[in-house]
Amino acid sequence: MKAVGIVVEYNPFHNGHLYHLQETKKQTEADCLIAVMSGNFLQRGEPALVSKWTRTKMALFAGVDLVIELPYAFAVQSAETFASGAVALLAALYCDEICFGSESGKIEPFIEAAKTLLEKQNEYDIYIQQALQTGINYPQANTLAWNQLHLDKLDVTKPNNILGFSYVKAILEQHHPIVPRTIPRIAACYHDETFSHPSIASATSLRKALSGSIERLETISSYIPSYTKQLLEQYYFTYGTFHDWERYFPFLKYRILTMEESELQRIANVDEGLEHRFKQAIIEAETFSQLMTSMKTKRYTWTRLQRTCTHILTNFTKEQMAKMKKPTYIRLLGMSSNGRRYLQTIKKQLSLPLVTNVSRLEPHPIYQQEKKAVFAYTAIFPEAIRSKAIKEEYATPPITLF
Amino acid sequence: MKAVGIVVEYNPFHNGHLYHLQETKKQTEADCLIAVMSGNFLQRGEPALVSKWTRTKMALFAGVDLVIELPYAFAVQSAETFASGAVALLAALYCDEICFGSESGKIEPFIEAAKTLLEKQNEYDIYIQQALQTGINYPQANTLAWNQLHLDKLDVTKPNNILGFSYVKAILEQHHPIVPRTIPRIAACYHDETFSHPSIASATSLRKALSGSIERLETISSYIPSYTKQLLEQYYFTYGTFHDWERYFPFLKYRILTMEESELQRIANVDEGLEHRFKQAIIEAETFSQLMTSMKTKRYTWTRLQRTCTHILTNFTKEQMAKMKKPTYIRLLGMSSNGRRYLQTIKKQLSLPLVTNVSRLEPHPIYQQEKKAVFAYTAIFPEAIRSKAIKEEYATPPITLF
């Protein structure tokens, strides 16, 4: 059976995702489509609109065969760490190809850039350091270094190009026999907040249009499959809310206010005196957005700050992060009958444990952080629902769609 | 001017407190009545029903001349530490007498017991250790040791007798020229939850009858002065809530769940493996009361556990606690014109700084913890009210009643 991997967040699953998924199947003639998906917190440092379980259902309804959790320790990270964790998991599942959507749409520039970077890593690092010293932020420094290495065939100001590049680089770096492939993204840019296409819009624009309100679900219904709509409705009626940063702000503010600066300093990503700036800014901030706006500088991008807030909320420390080099288990969130069949064929060759019951994982450093992420994610629920949601993390067997 | 000190929590101020206050004035012929009062968290490890500012107003209306804050580091502690902090502050303000309510009502047994204990501290410590090793809790061990020292004239199973004894012991220990005096408590026992007197009931029974609901305020109105009633109403309409542990439970649970056991271990009072027990019990607990009930044992009393929960909520560490030997400033929360006049007479002899503007105190270890207590106390408010309440801590000048 031919297995093809994709890396997803599905926040929420929309028609653009469906297009990518169907094109991937068509172009690769995959027998088994494997998605590595971020859990409850996402790469850009946000809580997912709905839990991992509901997003797993969306993926299965759309035709994914296996949904694997990308652990928090790799998901809420820079593109490089995110990609390296995701690729390691897809390789561990013996994927033949990895297929990603990109603004570029052609695979050659990705491969060329990844090869160059691997050869000239030292040179690149020096360019980056030099550029950062001028006071610009990391994405800007990256673009500069990129141009200095004559890699301008690939536009790395585009977020999906950066991710794609990182997947290819991880494949080469980790020496996996995986073929990278890309499909051009259609119609909607990642950051687009307007609707310019009748049925395709970015997840960002959909979340914005939804604004956390079930009443506004109808306004986005032409951009999402009907099962996404039903699953969002079902989630809202079961849990009473969608998730966004503002809902977590009381907890984040409580936490930052009652922490010592020395404790803040221990949190992943809190460096260069960021602890003082958090302590100062939090006193006046009455919303998450106010906190971000008052802290954002040329140097600290919104995404970087947001990721740092997620680490504070979930209590993810530098010490923990330093220990987590690569994924050490494969956590199955969901599977189709096809997926199950594929797992049967590779079961005996797996080099990482395939986990369907997380209670067997403890105490496991990477899973410890996953639990903390679940505890933080469920903190906004009323108590009875919170207990239920926490139990789901432990007791939910992989979701099956047979 | 003759100054007399009392130690209070006023949670809330009721007719029993008024009786004690008036009797104190009458019996001591005080020119200035000074109350040292716990801030937002109380000796038994509970959030105060209403903030320190509102309780300060109650005290002033009732006839107190100076209200001084007992810092968190001394307030949320055993009777011994609580009393030692309070007595140090009253001594720093040159009180001539300290007058406390007690079940006993006679001062001699208190003095006798305090003297004996100071002489035989080693013997007492050995008795306590022996008793604790049999698996009983601290209050029980204390009663046993007490009897072994032939101090049974003073019934130390009564909470106000323990506090009174601790005041007298602190006076002797700290060598202050202060005369201790006691007034018998009337009608209601501290722990009484029933109403057996037409106008006197314990604060515990009043809070229970109120159950955090403004609608039930009428049911307790014959047990509290009219200004207490008005101030409670005003507080509720301004802040939208009264305070009790259940309202803080979402924050406490979030915190315990996302803490590492090693972090829990650093919190004051968390010892003897209590960190494991917290981690286990919190998963199932859906209310604060469930958490307490499931954790309470012969060894760990409700009060001790509650105090530990307060330390977790406010992030009060063993390291901090170890540094706080005695009060280092006198924070004025409120004064009458009489109180102001008294302060004028002693101003130049004060050995501790008299603080009316806390922003000048930072960074000050004891005040750092006070701030964390305020941050935790205000966490349950909606954001706009929370910001206002935090500013009040910094910007409220002492409340004056002239």
Side-chain angles (χ1 to χ4, degrees), chain A residues 261-277:
Chain A
E261 285 200 0
S262 59
E263 291 173 297
L264 253 173
Q265 239 170 5
R266 292 180 56 226
I267 299 294
N269 279 19
V270 177
D271 32 39
E272 301 168 5
L274 209 52
E275 66 278 12
H276 309 297
R277 309 227 0 256

Side-chain angles (χ1 to χ4, degrees), chain A residues 249-251 253-255 257-258 260 263 266 283 286 313 315 320 372 375 383-384 386-387 390, chain B residues 249-251 253-255 257-258 260 263 266 283 286 313 315 320 372 375 383-384 386-387 390:
Chain A
F249 187 63
F251 293 92
K253 183 164 177 174
Y254 155 73
R255 192 66 194 112
L257 284 173
T258 57
E260 303 284 341
E263 291 173 297
R266 292 180 56 226
I283 285 275
E286 292 185 8
L313 186 75
N315 193 21
Q320 281 184 283
K372 290 199 283 180
F375 293 144
E383 281 312 316
R386 180 194 235 181
S387 293
I390 289 176
Chain B
F249 188 63
F251 293 92
K253 183 163 176 174
Y254 154 72
R255 193 63 197 112
L257 284 173
T258 57
E260 303 284 341
E263 290 173 298
R266 292 180 55 228
I283 284 275
E286 292 185 9
L313 187 74
N315 193 22
Q320 281 184 284
K372 290 199 283 179
F375 293 145
E383 279 313 316
R386 180 194 235 182
S387 293
I390 289 176

Side-chain angles (χ1 to χ4, degrees), chain A residues 9-141:
Chain A
E9 298 206 302
Y10 293 161
N11 189 39
F13 187 88
H14 57 61
N15 292 342
H17 295 129
L18 185 61
Y19 167 83
H20 172 247
L21 190 155
Q22 288 171 337
E23 279 299 303
T24 299
K25 281 189 158 178
K26 198 161 79 184
Q27 292 187 23
T28 63
E29 295 178 342
D31 299 304
C32 177
L33 186 64
I34 306 179
V36 169
M37 188 179 81
S38 305
N40 288 345
F41 289 92
L42 308 179
Q43 198 248 330
R44 282 154 49 82
E46 288 167 308
L49 188 64
V50 293
S51 81
K52 58 179 107 175
W53 303 110
T54 293
R55 282 152 50 237
T56 294
K57 287 177 195 161
M58 293 174 187
L60 293 173
F61 277 122
V64 171
D65 295 306
L66 292 174
V67 183
I68 307 297
E69 181 167 55
L70 182 63
Y72 177 99
F74 303 94
V76 186
Q77 294 285 5
S78 66
E80 188 169 357
T81 309
F82 178 88
S84 114
V87 165
L89 284 169
L90 291 172
L93 285 160
Y94 298 98
C95 282
D96 300 290
E97 297 188 13
I98 286 180
C99 185
F100 54 91
S102 68
E103 289 86 359
S104 155
K106 285 180 190 135
I107 198 66
E108 293 76 17
F110 288 99
I111 296 175
E112 192 192 323
K115 280 187 176 160
T116 307
L117 246 285
L118 284 173
E119 272 167 31
K120 301 187 176 171
Q121 186 71 48
N122 287 345
E123 224 174 300
Y124 170 81
D125 290 343
I126 291 166
Y127 289 146
I128 285 276
Q129 284 316 316
Q130 284 172 344
L132 283 177
Q133 275 162 21
T134 68
I136 61 176
N137 65 29
Y138 191 86
Q140 291 167 328

